[in-house]
Amino acid sequence: MAKVLAVVEQRDGTLKRVSEEVVSAARKVADGIGGEVDALIIGAAGIGDAAKSLGTFGADRVIAVEAEALSSYNPEGYAEALAERAKAEDYFAVLFAATASGRDLAPRVAAKLDVPMASEATELEVEDGELLITRPVYTGKLFAEVTLEGSPRVVTLRQNVFRPEENPRQATVETVSADVDPTAWKVRVREVRAGSGETLDVAEAPVVVSGGRGLRGPENWGLLEDLAGALGSRCALGASRAVVDAGWRPHGEQVGQTGKTVSPQLYFAVAISGAIQHLAGMRTASTIVAINKDADAPIFKVADYGIVGDAFEVVPRLTEEIRKLKG
Amino acid sequence: MKTAICIKRVPDTEARIRVAGDGTSVDESGLKFVVSPYDEFAVEAALRLKDATGEGETVSISLGGSGAGEQLRATLAMGVDRAIRLDGEGSMDGLAVARALAAELKELGPDLVLCGMKAADDDQQQVGPMLAELLGMPCVTVVSSIEKEGDTLVCHREVEGGTEVVEVDLPAVVTVTKGEHEPRYPSLKGIMAAKKKPLEEKPAEGAESRVKVRRYSEPPPRPEGKVVGEGAEAVPELVRLLREEAKVL
């Protein structure tokens, strides 16, 4: 039976939330071809239990590749283990999340399997037994609808686009050990710095507060930090290119072309005029709020809700109202 | 150390992109083309490594039609030593592109292959890691800074919410993001010198694209938004709309 393989992720032994998105998307594809969903997780011993809950989102089987050397992401070890599993069955498609590791891993696996792949899909549809993949190109200025001539079809899925949907079944867990030799690896992670696991990246956060040059200087970012704080722990800060180029904020926060593409449920553009590169990077957000002094700023053309006004007056009030609401 | 930099000719990132009449390609008329910005970061990274060690050769390579010669010249003007254009057409099939590049790179035998983390047109992040697989080299992606320590490179890698410090044995493929790689402007002297630097042209090893584009479309226009009001007085109404209408608070 044709199957779909959903490659899911863990961090420090805990299933990453994006896994639910990948399994939900895989379920839909599997239903389209009348097949089943295998969810594959790689990690230290016992990782299979962490993924058992994916039955809720439509996984028929969890395959856990367990090895101490694979407890955290390593490109060579993971690609090897994954390619082996992908070859073991007749998979119609292998789906990854377009996370840092998914983006790193999927092309290696595709190359090992000698199949073409599609990156950053925002829509999947099965039509006459073929997988139609919609994906943004030119940072979202256009969308391309593509098909892949090869099997399995390797696809990464943009985060926050495929919503987790419950479709419960009793997933079985199968544990396989991986025969890996870390001494042969040529890439070694020396250390992981900064708030990994604590600070949410702008590309994966469901709520983003971005600031532009209208904030006049890095010393005024406290304004946005307060707003982000009021919005809760799933909120991340973003920045326009002008702000990053001026050295006010790190490049990791840049939203738009040459920065990150984001699709949060809620996006605040504060004192950002809305250059085409910026709009391209955030226009797929579900709800966009713009706050800008200039009523003619292009950002208002894509915003669902706008306030024309000085960020220095509007944002503190907004923070206060949201705090009240979340009380 | 011999460093190869893979570059791509892409439309200027400021440009509005339109679908051509056939629906399956992009209307290139009137478009200005540039070196994909991420590839410029890769060129900068290569030049910095050469500056730091004071030795080595840098070679830029592009798969593309004759127009791509212009972008290769631009890399020579930045300071790259020589360039190779693989005459052929790129496509959205990263593996086909990687295959064409790998055929040439096997001959060239570089110690380091640098790529932009992705191309600014197709936005895929495929070619670098695929090249590494085809060449049997290790690969580090999305790297913001590189330092050479003997036969290894120490790379800082941007991951969700942090930085990974990774070491990789040479020869290797590294894909580059901006980080410390703010690209230099070519000097007048550099531009003059570039005219005399070698730009070799060879037929690309053909591999047909197995990614079939059925159609391109413009993103659906976002529904007309509303300006809730002016100034801080509009905030309570905004919060009400976000909670009750958009249901996001």
Side-chain angles (χ1 to χ4, degrees):
Chain A
M1 182 193 287
K3 288 183 168 191
V4 177
L5 184 64
V7 180
V8 303
E9 293 185 28
Q10 51 95 8
R11 189 186 277 165
D12 303 328
T14 306
L15 194 66
K16 283 180 73 176
R17 200 179 280 214
V18 72
S19 304
E20 297 170 2
E21 297 178 16
V22 181
V23 171
S24 297
R27 183 71 256 163
K28 278 200 177 155
V29 174
D31 288 345
I33 57 167
E36 291 189 342
V37 174
D38 284 352
L40 180 100
I41 190 158
I42 303 177
I47 198 65
D49 295 332
K52 197 168 184 342
S53 61
L54 290 171
T56 311
F57 299 92
D60 297 292
R61 177 167 75 149
V62 171
I63 304 171
V65 179
E66 299 185 350
E68 215 40 55
L70 299 177
S71 63
S72 64
Y73 181 67
N74 168 279
E76 288 155 292
Y78 273 51
E80 194 85 17
L82 195 46
E84 198 178 306
R85 293 317 309 168
K87 279 182 205 163
E89 303 244 3
D90 175 25
Y91 287 113
F92 173 78
V94 180
L95 309 183
F96 295 78
T99 54
S101 57
R103 288 171 176 148
D104 191 67
L105 189 55
R108 297 170 200 259
V109 173
K112 280 182 193 293
L113 300 174
D114 190 20
V115 292
M117 77 171 267
S119 306
E120 310 277 331
T122 53
E123 237 181 282
L124 296 178
E125 204 186 316
V126 178
E127 190 188 286
D128 302 329
E130 191 43 80
L131 183 64
L132 300 189
I133 303 155
T134 303
R135 52 176 310 270
V137 289
Y138 301 91
T139 328
K141 289 175 191 169
L142 295 183
F143 282 84
E145 191 182 296
V146 305
T147 56
L148 298 176
E149 290 183 346
S151 198
R153 294 152 187 81
V154 176
V155 185
T156 62
L157 310 180
R158 176 154 294 175
Q159 295 185 75
N160 288 328
V161 174
F162 295 85
R163 304 278 175 222
E165 276 173 40
E166 295 198 6
N167 195 335
R169 53 204 71 210
Q170 205 62 42
T172 57
V173 179
E174 234 169 78
T175 304
V176 259
S177 60
D179 184 20
V180 288
D181 175 16
T183 60
W185 295 347
K186 291 174 177 168
V187 178
R188 296 167 293 273
V189 178
R190 267 196 197 171
E191 58 171 311
V192 180
R193 279 185 198 165
S196 179
E198 292 159 29
T199 326
L200 206 51
D201 190 83
V202 64
E204 59 176 348
V207 182
V208 173
V209 175
S210 276
R213 201 147 50 175
L215 287 170
R216 299 204 289 261
E219 67 279 7
N220 296 324
W221 244 255
L223 211 61
L224 299 191
E225 282 162 10
D226 288 348
L227 174 57
L231 286 161
S233 61
R234 307 274 305 150
C235 179
L237 291 179
S240 72
R241 177 165 140 188
V243 158
V244 172
D245 283 351
W248 297 357
R249 301 298 298 179
H251 180 247
E253 289 181 8
Q254 186 180 321
V255 172
Q257 221 160 5
T258 74
K260 286 173 177 155
T261 304
V262 303
S263 303
Q265 281 145 37
L266 179 57
Y267 187 89
F268 289 91
V270 179
I272 290 176
S273 64
I276 189 165
Q277 302 106 320
H278 189 80
L279 300 183
M282 45 65 89
R283 64 174 303 145
T284 53
S286 310
T287 301
I288 298 171
V289 177
I291 297 163
N292 204 294
K293 263 204 293 210
D294 176 8
D296 297 324
I299 192 76
F300 286 117
K301 293 220 165 62
V302 300
D304 301 283
Y305 305 106
I307 291 183
V308 179
D310 187 345
F312 293 93
E313 289 163 19
V314 176
V315 175
R317 182 72 195 275
L318 184 58
T319 305
E320 188 191 313
E321 292 290 327
I322 289 171
R323 274 198 194 126
K324 259 197 256 170
L325 187 71
K326 305 229 167 181
Chain B
M1 185 165 84
K2 191 189 275 185
T3 305
I5 313 114
C6 303
I7 70 148
K8 186 173 186 184
R9 170 185 168 90
V10 302
D12 190 341
T13 58
E14 307 266 353
R16 176 164 291 282
I17 307 293
R18 290 192 174 80
V19 185
D22 64 2
T24 60
S25 62
V26 164
D27 179 5
E28 294 195 346
S29 61
L31 280 183
K32 190 182 148 216
F33 285 84
V34 297
V35 179
S36 176
Y38 301 96
D39 299 343
E40 273 192 313
F41 305 150
V43 170
E44 181 61 33
L47 296 175
R48 283 189 191 203
L49 279 170
K50 189 176 164 179
D51 291 346
T53 55
E55 53 89 34
E57 189 191 24
T58 49
V59 187
S60 53
I61 301 183
S62 188
L63 167 67
S66 59
E70 193 190 329
Q71 278 63 48
L72 285 167
R73 284 274 175 228
T75 67
L76 297 178
M78 284 174 76
V80 172
D81 299 318
R82 65 185 177 99
I84 302 167
R85 180 171 71 82
L86 302 174
D87 187 45
E89 285 302 318
S91 69
M92 211 187 278
D93 184 346
L95 193 54
V97 173
R99 219 175 275 291
L101 291 168
E104 179 60 27
L105 288 166
K106 272 178 194 156
E107 226 169 278
L108 193 68
D111 304 289
L112 174 62
V113 180
L114 294 176
C115 303
M117 64 172 263
K118 63 178 176 181
D121 51 1
D122 289 337
D123 286 340
Q124 298 220 88
Q125 306 197 27
Q126 294 184 3
V127 172
M130 285 174 169
L131 253 183
E133 287 295 332
L134 296 174
L135 294 171
M137 290 182 187
C139 178
V140 185
T141 57
V142 199
V143 166
S144 55
S145 81
I146 307 172
E147 247 175 273
K148 189 165 180 288
E149 289 181 4
D151 286 333
T152 64
L153 291 182
V154 179
C155 302
H156 287 218
R157 191 169 175 257
E158 288 182 12
V159 295
E160 283 98 355
T163 309
E164 254 179 29
V165 186
V166 172
E167 56 176 45
V168 59
D169 298 337
L170 292 173
V173 178
V174 173
T175 80
V176 176
T177 185
K178 192 173 182 185
E180 295 177 356
H181 308 116
E182 181 64 52
R184 64 193 66 189
Y185 284 106
S187 63
L188 188 59
K189 203 174 137 209
I191 294 168
M192 296 309 286
K195 291 180 181 164
K196 291 187 190 131
K197 289 180 181 173
L199 196 170
E200 210 181 328
E201 292 174 2
K202 299 178 173 182
E205 256 183 49
E208 212 197 319
S209 173
R210 290 187 286 168
V211 177
K212 300 293 171 190
V213 178
R214 287 212 178 171
R215 63 185 191 111
Y216 281 113
S217 57
E218 308 232 341
R222 290 189 71 91
E224 192 75 26
K226 53 180 127 180
V227 170
V228 179
E230 286 186 22
E233 304 86 81
V235 168
E237 175 62 2
L238 171 68
V239 171
R240 188 192 68 79
L241 287 167
L242 289 176
R243 199 187 43 185
E244 291 173 13
E245 194 177 82
K247 298 185 168 66
V248 285
L249 281 183

